[in-house]
Amino acid sequence: LTDPTVAKYIEDYLESLTKKSKDQDAWALNKYVVPVLGRMKLSDLRRADLAKLLEVVHKRNGIGMANQVRKYLTTALNRAVEHEIIEFSPMAGLKKVAKTKPRERYLKDEEIRHFWRALDSGKLEMSGETKRILKLILVTGQRPGDVSGLQHKELRGNIWTIPASRYKTEIDQQVRLTGLAVKLLTESKARAGYLFPTPHKSKHKPIPANSVA
């Protein structure tokens, strides 16, 4: 690439990623960076531009998301330096927006009941599969990505084994499923592979976690 725009460089950068790491990077960079800075020349990008962008993400989407976008940008721009597309990274020296605080917010029982009734009301514009994913997140207490990416081979009776590959600890995690959880799983129309496949039949992938998170 020779003097690309931010959008063009990000497109090229994302193509270089492995499938495993590509989805979240692509979602965050295309949602928060490209619409704001995409038309700029990469060589014109300055630390002040990025600091302002991250501050906006912080105010609108929280500290955690701002720091995730910062991490993705840092990696992407370091690659641009390595490939001699730019001389230095404008992310250099740009610290985290703030320390991410532990999540302490939990849904109260009445909030869960209200949310569950809303899912059953028929008034929400979302697929039945997405509703089941949201219910299973509540019932099992597992992460959105683990639930949406659940595969038939991970289930044995009322035991769900989440593969070690999804965890930094590299240890399988077993989840004992309640009767309600088993009932929700049996309602899935998929009989092999992912229980919650994307509606695009040409793509053998699960519904993305960011669609339900």
Side-chain angles (χ1 to χ4, degrees):
L1 290 177
T2 303
D3 200 22
T5 62
V6 172
K8 182 61 181 175
Y9 173 70
I10 286 177
E11 179 184 352
D12 181 74
Y13 165 69
L14 293 173
E15 286 299 319
S16 73
L17 298 181
T18 61
K19 181 178 181 296
K20 185 176 181 180
S21 63
K22 183 175 181 178
D23 289 346
Q24 285 194 332
D25 291 54
W27 181 81
L29 293 174
N30 284 324
K31 181 176 177 64
Y32 298 112
V33 181
V34 173
V36 179
L37 303 174
R39 294 183 179 181
M40 288 184 66
K41 290 288 187 180
L42 189 65
S43 57
D44 291 336
L45 196 59
R46 295 292 178 264
R47 186 182 303 172
D49 302 315
L50 296 169
K52 183 177 180 180
L53 169 73
L54 293 175
E55 185 60 30
V56 170
V57 175
H58 174 203
K59 289 181 178 178
R60 294 180 180 176
N61 304 93
I63 293 171
M65 181 55 69
N67 286 329
Q68 282 294 99
V69 172
R70 174 190 171 276
K71 180 179 75 171
Y72 298 144
L73 274 170
T74 298
T75 304
L77 293 175
N78 283 344
R79 175 183 175 273
V81 174
E82 291 171 6
H83 287 251
E84 298 184 348
I85 299 171
I86 53 178
E87 292 186 10
F88 66 91
S89 170
M91 286 297 296
L94 193 57
K95 297 180 180 180
K96 288 185 178 181
V97 176
K99 290 184 178 180
T100 302
K101 296 181 180 179
R103 298 177 182 178
E104 299 177 350
R105 174 71 168 92
Y106 300 94
L107 290 176
K108 298 178 182 177
D109 290 347
E110 181 54 37
E111 290 176 317
I112 293 174
R113 285 192 288 269
H114 179 76
F115 182 60
W116 198 282
R117 286 194 295 267
L119 291 174
D120 288 336
S121 69
K123 296 179 181 180
L124 300 179
E125 295 183 1
M126 63 176 66
S127 69
E129 298 294 85
T130 299
K131 292 176 183 177
R132 275 188 285 279
I133 291 172
L134 291 169
K135 288 182 176 181
L136 279 165
I137 292 170
L138 289 174
V139 172
T140 64
Q142 300 307 305
R143 300 179 302 182
D146 289 330
V147 176
S148 65
L150 197 159
Q151 299 186 55
H152 278 277
K153 64 183 181 181
E154 298 170 10
L155 299 172
R156 291 290 184 275
N158 69 333
I159 300 297
W160 170 23
T161 301
I162 305 175
S165 58
R166 299 189 195 172
Y167 291 91
K168 293 180 180 179
T169 57
E170 297 184 353
I171 299 174
D172 289 345
Q173 176 176 319
Q174 290 194 331
V175 180
R176 187 172 296 276
L177 301 169
T178 64
L180 178 55
V182 172
K183 179 178 182 295
L184 289 167
L185 290 170
T186 57
E187 291 174 358
S188 170
K189 296 178 181 179
R191 294 293 173 258
Y194 292 108
L195 270 78
F196 306 107
T198 178
H200 305 292
K201 294 185 178 180
S202 60
K203 299 179 181 178
H204 301 290
K205 299 179 180 179
I207 292 174
N210 55 41
S211 295
V212 295

Coordinates of all heavy atoms in Angstrom, one line a residue, residues 90-144:
P90 N 1.0 6.8 15.6 CA 0.4 7.9 16.4 C -0.2 7.4 17.7 O -0.6 8.2 18.5 CB -0.6 8.5 15.5 CG -0.9 7.4 14.5 CD 0.3 6.6 14.3
M91 N -0.3 6.1 17.8 CA -0.8 5.5 19.1 C 0.3 5.4 20.1 O 0.0 5.3 21.3 CB -1.3 4.1 18.9 CG -2.6 4.0 18.1 SD -4.0 4.8 19.0 CE -4.1 3.7 20.4
A92 N 1.6 5.6 19.8 CA 2.7 5.5 20.7 C 2.5 6.5 21.8 O 2.3 7.7 21.6 CB 4.0 5.8 20.0
G93 N 2.6 6.1 23.0 CA 2.4 6.9 24.2 C 1.0 7.3 24.6 O 0.8 8.0 25.6
L94 N 0.0 6.8 23.8 CA -1.4 7.1 24.1 C -1.9 6.1 25.1 O -2.1 4.9 24.8 CB -2.2 7.1 22.8 CG -3.6 7.7 22.9 CD1 -3.6 9.1 23.4 CD2 -4.3 7.6 21.6
K95 N -2.1 6.5 26.3 CA -2.4 5.6 27.4 C -3.9 5.2 27.4 O -4.7 5.8 26.7 CB -2.1 6.2 28.8 CG -0.6 6.5 29.0 CD -0.4 7.1 30.3 CE 1.1 7.4 30.5 NZ 1.4 8.0 31.9
K96 N -4.2 4.2 28.2 CA -5.6 3.8 28.3 C -6.5 5.0 28.7 O -6.0 5.8 29.5 CB -5.8 2.6 29.3 CG -5.2 1.3 28.7 CD -5.6 0.2 29.8 CE -5.1 -1.1 29.2 NZ -5.4 -2.2 30.2
V97 N -7.7 5.0 28.3 CA -8.6 6.1 28.7 C -8.7 6.1 30.2 O -8.7 7.2 30.9 CB -10.0 5.9 28.1 CG1 -11.0 6.9 28.6 CG2 -9.9 5.9 26.6
A98 N -8.9 5.0 30.8 CA -8.9 4.8 32.3 C -8.9 3.3 32.6 O -9.1 2.5 31.7 CB -10.2 5.4 32.8
K99 N -8.6 3.0 33.8 CA -8.6 1.6 34.2 C -10.0 1.1 34.1 O -10.9 1.7 34.6 CB -8.0 1.4 35.6 CG -6.5 1.7 35.7 CD -6.0 1.4 37.1 CE -4.5 1.7 37.1 NZ -4.0 1.4 38.5
T100 N -10.1 -0.1 33.6 CA -11.4 -0.7 33.5 C -11.8 -1.3 34.9 O -11.0 -2.1 35.4 CB -11.4 -1.9 32.4 OG1 -11.1 -1.3 31.2 CG2 -12.8 -2.5 32.3
K101 N -12.9 -0.9 35.4 CA -13.3 -1.4 36.7 C -14.0 -2.7 36.6 O -14.7 -3.0 35.5 CB -14.3 -0.3 37.3 CG -13.6 1.0 37.6 CD -14.6 1.9 38.3 CE -14.0 3.3 38.5 NZ -15.0 4.2 39.2
P102 N -13.9 -3.5 37.6 CA -14.7 -4.8 37.5 C -16.2 -4.6 37.4 O -16.7 -3.6 37.9 CB -14.4 -5.4 38.9 CG -13.1 -4.7 39.4 CD -13.2 -3.3 38.8
R103 N -16.8 -5.5 36.7 CA -18.2 -5.4 36.5 C -19.0 -5.8 37.8 O -18.8 -6.9 38.3 CB -18.7 -6.3 35.4 CG -18.0 -5.9 34.0 CD -18.4 -6.9 32.9 NE -17.8 -6.6 31.7 CZ -18.0 -7.3 30.6 NH1 -18.7 -8.4 30.6 NH2 -17.3 -6.9 29.4
E104 N -19.7 -4.8 38.3 CA -20.4 -5.1 39.6 C -21.9 -5.0 39.4 O -22.7 -5.1 40.4 CB -20.0 -4.1 40.6 CG -18.5 -4.2 40.9 CD -18.0 -3.1 41.9 OE1 -18.8 -2.2 42.2 OE2 -16.9 -3.3 42.4
R105 N -22.4 -4.8 38.2 CA -23.8 -4.6 37.9 C -24.4 -5.9 37.6 O -24.0 -6.6 36.7 CB -24.0 -3.6 36.8 CG -25.5 -3.5 36.3 CD -26.3 -2.7 37.3 NE -27.6 -2.3 36.8 CZ -28.7 -3.0 36.9 NH1 -28.7 -4.2 37.5 NH2 -29.8 -2.6 36.4
Y106 N -25.5 -6.3 38.4 CA -26.2 -7.6 38.2 C -27.7 -7.3 38.0 O -28.2 -6.4 38.7 CB -26.0 -8.5 39.3 CG -24.5 -8.9 39.6 CD1 -23.7 -8.2 40.5 CD2 -23.9 -9.9 38.8 CE1 -22.4 -8.5 40.7 CE2 -22.6 -10.3 39.0 CZ -21.8 -9.6 40.0 OH -20.5 -9.9 40.1
L107 N -28.3 -8.1 37.2 CA -29.8 -7.9 37.0 C -30.5 -8.4 38.3 O -30.2 -9.4 38.8 CB -30.3 -8.7 35.8 CG -29.9 -8.2 34.4 CD1 -30.4 -9.1 33.4 CD2 -30.4 -6.8 34.2
K108 N -31.4 -7.6 38.7 CA -32.3 -8.0 39.9 C -33.3 -9.0 39.3 O -33.6 -9.1 38.2 CB -32.9 -6.8 40.5 CG -31.9 -5.8 41.0 CD -32.6 -4.6 41.6 CE -31.6 -3.5 42.1 NZ -32.3 -2.3 42.6
D109 N -33.9 -9.7 40.3 CA -34.9 -10.8 39.9 C -36.1 -10.2 39.1 O -36.5 -10.7 38.1 CB -35.5 -11.4 41.2 CG -34.5 -12.3 41.8 OD1 -33.4 -12.6 41.2 OD2 -34.7 -12.8 43.0
E110 N -36.6 -9.0 39.5 CA -37.7 -8.4 38.8 C -37.2 -7.9 37.4 O -38.0 -8.0 36.4 CB -38.2 -7.2 39.6 CG -39.4 -6.5 38.9 CD -40.5 -7.4 38.6 OE1 -40.8 -8.4 39.4 OE2 -41.2 -7.3 37.5
E111 N -36.0 -7.5 37.2 CA -35.5 -7.1 35.9 C -35.4 -8.3 35.0 O -35.7 -8.2 33.8 CB -34.1 -6.4 36.1 CG -34.1 -5.1 36.7 CD -32.8 -4.5 37.0 OE1 -31.9 -5.3 37.4 OE2 -32.6 -3.3 36.7
I112 N -35.0 -9.4 35.6 CA -34.9 -10.6 34.7 C -36.3 -11.1 34.3 O -36.5 -11.4 33.1 CB -34.2 -11.8 35.5 CG1 -32.8 -11.4 35.8 CG2 -34.4 -13.1 34.8 CD1 -32.1 -12.4 36.7
R113 N -37.3 -11.0 35.2 CA -38.7 -11.4 34.9 C -39.2 -10.5 33.8 O -39.9 -10.9 32.8 CB -39.6 -11.4 36.1 CG -39.4 -12.5 37.0 CD -40.5 -12.6 38.1 NE -40.3 -11.5 39.1 CZ -39.6 -11.6 40.2 NH1 -39.0 -12.8 40.5 NH2 -39.6 -10.6 41.0
H114 N -38.9 -9.2 33.9 CA -39.4 -8.2 32.9 C -38.8 -8.5 31.6 O -39.4 -8.4 30.5 CB -39.1 -6.8 33.4 CG -39.5 -5.7 32.5 ND1 -40.8 -5.3 32.3 CD2 -38.8 -5.0 31.5 CE1 -40.9 -4.3 31.4 NE2 -39.6 -4.1 30.9
F115 N -37.5 -8.7 31.6 CA -36.8 -9.0 30.3 C -37.3 -10.3 29.7 O -37.5 -10.4 28.4 CB -35.3 -9.1 30.6 CG -34.4 -9.4 29.4 CD1 -34.4 -8.5 28.3 CD2 -33.6 -10.5 29.3 CE1 -33.6 -8.7 27.2 CE2 -32.9 -10.7 28.1 CZ -32.9 -9.8 27.1
W116 N -37.5 -11.3 30.5 CA -38.0 -12.6 29.9 C -39.4 -12.4 29.3 O -39.7 -13.0 28.2 CB -38.1 -13.6 31.1 CG -38.1 -15.1 30.6 CD1 -39.2 -15.7 30.2 CD2 -37.1 -16.0 30.6 NE1 -38.9 -17.0 29.8 CE2 -37.6 -17.2 30.1 CE3 -35.7 -15.9 30.9 CZ2 -36.8 -18.4 29.9 CZ3 -34.9 -17.1 30.7 CH2 -35.5 -18.3 30.3
R117 N -40.3 -11.7 30.0 CA -41.6 -11.4 29.5 C -41.5 -10.7 28.2 O -42.3 -10.9 27.2 CB -42.5 -10.7 30.5 CG -42.9 -11.5 31.7 CD -44.0 -10.8 32.5 NE -43.6 -9.6 33.1 CZ -43.1 -9.5 34.3 NH1 -43.0 -10.6 35.1 NH2 -42.7 -8.3 34.8
A118 N -40.6 -9.7 28.1 CA -40.4 -9.0 26.8 C -40.0 -9.9 25.7 O -40.5 -9.7 24.5 CB -39.4 -7.9 27.0
L119 N -39.2 -10.9 26.0 CA -38.7 -11.8 24.9 C -39.9 -12.7 24.4 O -40.0 -13.0 23.3 CB -37.6 -12.7 25.5 CG -36.3 -12.1 25.7 CD1 -35.3 -13.1 26.4 CD2 -35.6 -11.5 24.4
D120 N -40.8 -13.0 25.3 CA -42.0 -13.8 25.0 C -43.1 -13.0 24.4 O -44.1 -13.6 24.0 CB -42.4 -14.6 26.2 CG -41.5 -15.7 26.6 OD1 -40.7 -16.2 25.8 OD2 -41.5 -16.1 27.8
S121 N -43.1 -11.7 24.5 CA -44.2 -10.9 24.1 C -44.5 -10.8 22.6 O -45.6 -10.5 22.2 CB -44.0 -9.4 24.6 OG -42.9 -8.8 23.8
G122 N -43.5 -11.1 21.8 CA -43.7 -11.1 20.3 C -43.5 -9.7 19.8 O -43.7 -9.4 18.6
K123 N -43.2 -8.7 20.7 CA -43.1 -7.3 20.2 C -41.7 -6.9 19.8 O -41.5 -5.9 19.2 CB -43.6 -6.4 21.4 CG -45.1 -6.6 21.7 CD -45.5 -5.6 22.8 CE -46.9 -5.8 23.2 NZ -47.3 -4.9 24.3
L124 N -40.7 -7.8 20.2 CA -39.3 -7.5 19.9 C -39.0 -8.0 18.5 O -39.3 -9.1 18.1 CB -38.4 -8.1 20.9 CG -38.6 -7.7 22.4 CD1 -37.6 -8.4 23.3 CD2 -38.4 -6.2 22.5
E125 N -38.3 -7.1 17.7 CA -37.9 -7.5 16.4 C -36.6 -8.3 16.4 O -35.5 -7.7 16.1 CB -37.8 -6.3 15.5 CG -39.1 -5.6 15.3 CD -39.0 -4.4 14.3 OE1 -37.9 -4.1 13.8 OE2 -40.1 -3.7 14.1
M126 N -36.6 -9.5 16.7 CA -35.5 -10.4 16.7 C -35.9 -11.8 16.5 O -37.1 -12.2 16.7 CB -34.7 -10.3 18.0 CG -35.4 -10.7 19.3 SD -34.4 -10.7 20.8 CE -34.1 -8.9 21.0
S127 N -35.0 -12.6 16.0 CA -35.3 -14.0 15.6 C -35.5 -14.9 16.9 O -35.1 -14.5 18.0 CB -34.2 -14.6 14.8 OG -33.0 -14.8 15.6
G128 N -36.2 -16.0 16.7 CA -36.4 -16.9 17.8 C -35.1 -17.4 18.3 O -34.9 -17.7 19.5
E129 N -34.1 -17.6 17.4 CA -32.8 -18.1 17.8 C -32.1 -17.1 18.7 O -31.5 -17.5 19.7 CB -31.9 -18.4 16.6 CG -32.5 -19.5 15.7 CD -32.6 -20.9 16.3 OE1 -33.5 -21.1 17.1 OE2 -31.6 -21.7 16.2
T130 N -32.2 -15.9 18.4 CA -31.6 -14.8 19.2 C -32.2 -14.8 20.6 O -31.5 -14.6 21.6 CB -31.7 -13.5 18.5 OG1 -31.0 -13.5 17.3 CG2 -31.0 -12.4 19.4
K131 N -33.5 -14.9 20.6 CA -34.2 -14.9 21.9 C -33.8 -16.1 22.8 O -33.6 -16.0 24.0 CB -35.7 -15.0 21.7 CG -36.3 -13.7 21.1 CD -37.8 -13.9 20.8 CE -38.4 -12.6 20.1 NZ -39.8 -12.8 19.8
R132 N -33.6 -17.3 22.1 CA -33.2 -18.4 22.9 C -31.8 -18.2 23.4 O -31.4 -18.7 24.5 CB -33.3 -19.7 22.0 CG -34.7 -20.3 22.0 CD -34.7 -21.7 21.3 NE -34.6 -21.5 19.9 CZ -35.7 -21.3 19.1 NH1 -36.9 -21.1 19.7 NH2 -35.6 -21.1 17.8
I133 N -30.9 -17.6 22.6 CA -29.5 -17.3 23.1 C -29.6 -16.5 24.3 O -28.9 -16.7 25.3 CB -28.7 -16.7 22.0 CG1 -28.4 -17.6 20.8 CG2 -27.4 -16.1 22.5 CD1 -27.8 -17.0 19.6
L134 N -30.4 -15.4 24.3 CA -30.5 -14.5 25.4 C -31.0 -15.2 26.7 O -30.5 -15.0 27.8 CB -31.4 -13.3 25.1 CG -30.8 -12.3 24.0 CD1 -31.8 -11.3 23.5 CD2 -29.6 -11.6 24.6
K135 N -32.0 -16.0 26.5 CA -32.5 -16.8 27.6 C -31.5 -17.7 28.2 O -31.3 -17.9 29.4 CB -33.8 -17.6 27.2 CG -35.0 -16.7 26.9 CD -36.2 -17.6 26.6 CE -37.5 -16.7 26.4 NZ -38.6 -17.6 26.1
L136 N -30.7 -18.4 27.3 CA -29.7 -19.3 27.8 C -28.6 -18.6 28.5 O -28.0 -19.2 29.4 CB -29.1 -20.1 26.6 CG -30.0 -21.3 26.2 CD1 -29.6 -21.8 24.8 CD2 -29.9 -22.4 27.2
I137 N -28.2 -17.4 28.1 CA -27.2 -16.6 28.8 C -27.7 -16.4 30.2 O -26.9 -16.5 31.2 CB -27.0 -15.3 28.1 CG1 -26.3 -15.5 26.8 CG2 -26.1 -14.3 29.0 CD1 -26.2 -14.2 25.9
L138 N -29.0 -16.1 30.4 CA -29.5 -15.9 31.8 C -29.6 -17.2 32.6 O -29.2 -17.2 33.7 CB -30.9 -15.3 31.6 CG -31.1 -13.8 31.2 CD1 -32.6 -13.5 31.0 CD2 -30.4 -12.9 32.2
V139 N -30.0 -18.2 31.9 CA -30.2 -19.5 32.6 C -28.9 -20.2 33.0 O -28.7 -20.8 34.1 CB -31.0 -20.5 31.7 CG1 -31.1 -21.9 32.3 CG2 -32.4 -19.9 31.6
T140 N -27.9 -20.1 32.1 CA -26.6 -20.7 32.4 C -25.5 -19.8 33.0 O -24.6 -20.3 33.6 CB -26.0 -21.3 31.0 OG1 -25.7 -20.2 30.2 CG2 -27.0 -22.3 30.4
G141 N -25.7 -18.5 32.8 CA -24.7 -17.6 33.4 C -23.4 -17.6 32.5 O -22.4 -17.1 33.0
Q142 N -23.4 -18.1 31.3 CA -22.2 -18.2 30.5 C -22.1 -17.0 29.6 O -23.1 -16.2 29.3 CB -22.2 -19.5 29.7 CG -22.2 -20.7 30.5 CD -21.1 -20.7 31.6 OE1 -20.0 -20.6 31.2 NE2 -21.5 -20.9 32.8
R143 N -20.9 -16.8 29.0 CA -20.7 -15.6 28.1 C -21.5 -15.7 26.8 O -21.7 -16.8 26.3 CB -19.2 -15.5 27.8 CG -18.3 -15.4 29.1 CD -16.8 -15.3 28.7 NE -16.4 -16.5 28.0 CZ -15.1 -16.7 27.6 NH1 -14.2 -15.8 27.9 NH2 -14.8 -17.8 26.9
P144 N -21.9 -14.5 26.3 CA -22.6 -14.5 25.0 C -21.9 -15.3 23.9 O -22.6 -16.1 23.2 CB -22.7 -13.0 24.7 CG -22.7 -12.4 26.0 CD -21.7 -13.2 26.9

